[in-house]
Amino acid sequence: MDKKALALHLIKQDLKYRQMVVAQNSVGIQIEFHPDLVRVIRALMGHSNVKTIDDWVDVYVQGMAKIEKITWGNEAGIYIVALNIYKSLESFN
């Protein structure tokens, strides 16, 4: 798996995880563990030394927030959101 494919895969998995967290929070179950995939994805995309790290992370977090609009189990929707996040982050070269 190349770096782009792996970064996109991690973004999709993070979206699914966040979707699960939102669903559990809605029924009163709190999750304390939040994996920090941002750093790994940044490194895979070659953005480890980006000067505007806060802006990069903001774009990632804003993209992750869109998961609340995707129907549970909608793989195509998750892929589209993940691809849009990836493309937005790509502009930070």
Side-chain angles (χ1 to χ4, degrees):
M1 185 178 288
D2 66 4
K3 288 181 180 182
K4 178 179 179 178
L6 182 54
L8 189 55
H9 175 75
L10 290 175
I11 293 169
K12 288 189 317 189
Q13 295 307 311
D14 202 9
L15 283 164
K16 290 178 183 181
Y17 181 79
R18 289 172 192 259
Q19 191 175 46
M20 179 193 67
V21 168
V22 168
Q24 289 182 332
N25 286 344
S26 73
V27 294
I29 300 170
Q30 299 297 313
I31 295 181
E32 299 296 325
F33 176 73
H34 295 280
D36 181 16
L37 295 178
V38 173
R39 196 173 327 153
V40 175
I41 293 166
R42 237 181 41 229
L44 287 169
M45 294 182 73
H47 295 195
S48 297
N49 297 321
V50 172
K51 293 178 184 175
T52 56
I53 297 290
D54 290 339
D55 293 340
W56 197 94
V57 172
D58 286 345
V59 168
Y60 186 84
V61 170
Q62 288 171 7
M64 285 289 134
K66 294 178 182 168
I67 195 59
E68 294 182 35
K69 297 177 183 174
I70 303 297
T71 305
W72 186 267
N74 180 351
E75 290 293 323
I78 290 171
Y79 178 78
I80 290 168
V81 172
L83 191 57
N84 288 336
I85 291 169
Y86 185 89
K87 287 179 180 179
S88 296
L89 296 173
E90 225 175 12
S91 68
F92 280 87
N93 282 335

